[in-house]
Amino acid sequence: MDNWLYDEFKHCGVDYSNAGEAERYDDQHRRFRDYEKEFREMMDFLGIRDTKDKTVVDLGCGTGATSVFAADLFKTVYAVDVSAVMIEKARKKIDRGVHNIRFVNAGFLSYEHEGEPADLVITKAALHHLPDFWKQVALLRINTMLKMGGMLYIHDVVFHFDPHEYDGRINSWISGFEKTAGKEFRLEVETHIRDEYSTFDWIMKGIVEKAGFTVEKSRSDDGFVTEYACRKVRELNCRNRQGQA
Ligand SMILES: C[S@@+](CC[C@H](N)C(=O)[O-])C[C@H]1O[C@@H](n2cnc3c(N)ncnc32)[C@H](O)[C@@H]1O
């Protein structure tokens, strides 16, 4: 293996490979999130209907905030994460009779999609774990997982402010989060900004387009948390890490 490859299993910022972190995750996030409502709003935003024959890949699935609801609607769900303990939390939410969800302990840079090409790839609050160069590589790889015309949904913290305003804008966003989710979460958001790799909206749109997608829609209520609905419009002739076309 090339020595210059990014090690996506070595967590930057919050260490989701830590069992205590996985244990705390849902309690902490439910203070400001309603997973089911988020799922419904995402589906409305994407305008995807007739899901029963469709395949979805959830990259950075975590404790299953999206995958668990997707399993009710889609034919097959691939729930992928670099953290085995986060996957374990997600797995425990799945009823015994549900067989259409496959958990894979891999990441943006290592997951090899082997089923039929996906109709939808979702990545929620996860892409910022990669520096921009590796986000671009991840997006190229996502292109190869999808059918032509398939959708990519990105939900992440992305910066919309003018670069010179960074100080005030980041401080007021963090203070707002503290009011909603408490002091403990303030520390997590500080870690996010300091040690993880959120990027600017114009960079995100640029790398998405370079990877063969068009951004059909994007929205952000607070100028930070942002959703992108992207459609695959170009087949890429790129090679994966095994050197296959
Ligand atoms: C903030 S959590 C989001 C989890 C879930 N998507 C949600 O909406 O709650 C970030 C997740 O991304 C995962 N992650 C970090 N780097 C990753 C990578 N390179 N590939 C895939 N998942 C990654 C972490 O293990 C963690 O489960």
Side-chain angles (χ1 to χ4, degrees), residues 47 52 67 187:
K52 68 177 186 353
S67 309
L187 300 178

Side-chain angles (χ1 to χ4, degrees), residues 8 11 16-17 25 29 33 35 38 58-66 80-83 86 106-109 124-126 128-130:
E8 61 180 346
H11 288 249
Y16 291 108
S17 67
Y25 188 85
H29 277 242
R33 295 176 64 183
Y35 296 157
E38 283 181 13
D58 182 9
L59 290 171
C61 66
T63 60
T66 307
V80 180
D81 203 288
V82 288
S83 164
M86 293 291 271
F108 291 109
L109 306 176
K124 192 157 191 177
H128 67 267
H129 285 276
L130 296 177

Side-chain angles (χ1 to χ4, degrees), residues 39-91:
F39 180 76
R40 279 199 311 272
E41 288 175 355
M42 176 192 78
M43 293 300 290
D44 285 347
F45 178 65
L46 291 170
I48 294 183
R49 313 261 178 267
D50 304 325
T51 48
K52 68 177 186 353
D53 293 323
K54 292 195 162 86
T55 297
V56 56
V57 180
D58 182 9
L59 290 171
C61 66
T63 60
T66 307
S67 309
V68 167
F69 298 103
D72 288 340
L73 290 188
F74 286 82
K75 184 174 87 175
T76 313
V77 179
Y78 296 88
V80 180
D81 203 288
V82 288
S83 164
V85 285
M86 293 291 271
I87 286 184
E88 215 30 56
K89 295 290 289 180
R91 199 192 300 276

Side-chain angles (χ1 to χ4, degrees), residues 208-227:
V208 163
E209 281 166 11
K210 290 272 183 210
F213 295 92
T214 183
V215 178
E216 289 194 340
K217 279 199 263 181
S218 67
R219 67 180 178 193
S220 175
D221 289 340
D222 62 357
F224 285 84
V225 178
T226 309
E227 295 166 280

Side-chain angles (χ1 to χ4, degrees), residues 53-198:
D53 293 323
K54 292 195 162 86
T55 297
V56 56
V57 180
D58 182 9
L59 290 171
C61 66
T63 60
T66 307
S67 309
V68 167
F69 298 103
D72 288 340
L73 290 188
F74 286 82
K75 184 174 87 175
T76 313
V77 179
Y78 296 88
V80 180
D81 203 288
V82 288
S83 164
V85 285
M86 293 291 271
I87 286 184
E88 215 30 56
K89 295 290 289 180
R91 199 192 300 276
K92 286 191 178 134
K93 293 178 184 167
I94 299 297
D95 294 335
R96 277 183 188 281
V98 175
H99 300 295
N100 64 336
I101 178 161
R102 304 197 188 141
F103 292 100
V104 186
N105 188 198
F108 291 109
L109 306 176
S110 52
Y111 172 62
E112 295 294 343
H113 185 67
E114 282 171 359
E116 60 181 301
D119 299 279
L120 171 65
V121 171
I122 292 167
T123 181
K124 192 157 191 177
L127 196 55
H128 67 267
H129 285 276
L130 296 177
D132 285 354
F133 171 76
W134 295 104
K135 284 190 192 76
Q136 180 72 82
V137 174
L139 290 163
L140 294 169
R141 298 187 85 255
I142 289 170
N143 177 299
T144 66
M145 295 170 204
L146 275 165
K147 290 178 182 160
M148 180 58 90
M151 296 296 291
L152 163 64
Y153 172 80
I154 302 172
H155 177 292
D156 215 333
V157 173
V158 173
F159 306 135
H160 293 258
F161 48 75
D162 277 339
H164 70 275
E165 294 174 353
Y166 74 93
D167 195 356
R169 297 296 296 271
I170 284 176
N171 274 316
S172 69
W173 183 64
I174 291 176
S175 301
F177 243 106
E178 183 175 358
K179 282 192 197 112
T180 321
K183 174 83 182 154
E184 200 188 336
F185 208 73
R186 179 191 175 93
L187 300 178
E188 186 162 326
V189 180
E190 286 171 346
T191 302
H192 178 116
I193 300 292
R194 189 182 57 243
D195 300 331
E196 301 176 8
Y197 302 103
S198 272

